[in-house]
Amino acid sequence: ALSRLGHMSYDVVGTQIIQTGVPASKANLIGGMEVSIASLAELVMLAMAIIANDVSHFGFLAILSVSSVAGAAWMFCRWLGNPTDEQRELFIFDPHFQLQAT
């Protein structure tokens, strides 16, 4: 149940970022890229299922899965750690995202 809650929370946050942080002129580009990356990830997942179809490969697949999630979390944190001016405007109440006087 907790994994579903995390998944749904991620979807809500992702949708909010797409709806508020992407200019309307680039929405199709972002949506198309998202679908392409998701399709590529699904292709890799299916290829791994074909290649590592024996029960003895489960440990390797579990480690690969955890590594993928950790890598994605690291990339997301790096993205949040270097906010753009648009992100600072979206999240004006967070002191981490305050605009700095130049």
Side-chain angles (χ1 to χ4, degrees), residues 9 52 58 83:
S9 299
F58 179 76

Side-chain angles (χ1 to χ4, degrees), residues 18-53:
I18 295 295
Q19 288 177 348
T20 59
V22 175
S25 62
K26 298 204 184 246
N28 287 337
L29 175 68
I30 299 295
M33 183 61 71
E34 182 181 5
V35 169
S36 298
I37 291 172
S39 296
L40 177 64
E42 186 174 4
L43 180 67
V44 170
M45 179 189 70
L46 292 172
M48 289 303 298
I50 292 169
I51 293 169
N53 60 2

Side-chain angles (χ1 to χ4, degrees), residues 7-20 76 91:
H7 181 70
M8 288 186 286
S9 299
Y10 173 80
D11 282 344
V12 168
V13 170
T15 301
Q16 182 197 10
I17 290 171
I18 295 295
Q19 288 177 348
T20 59
F76 182 71
F91 303 104

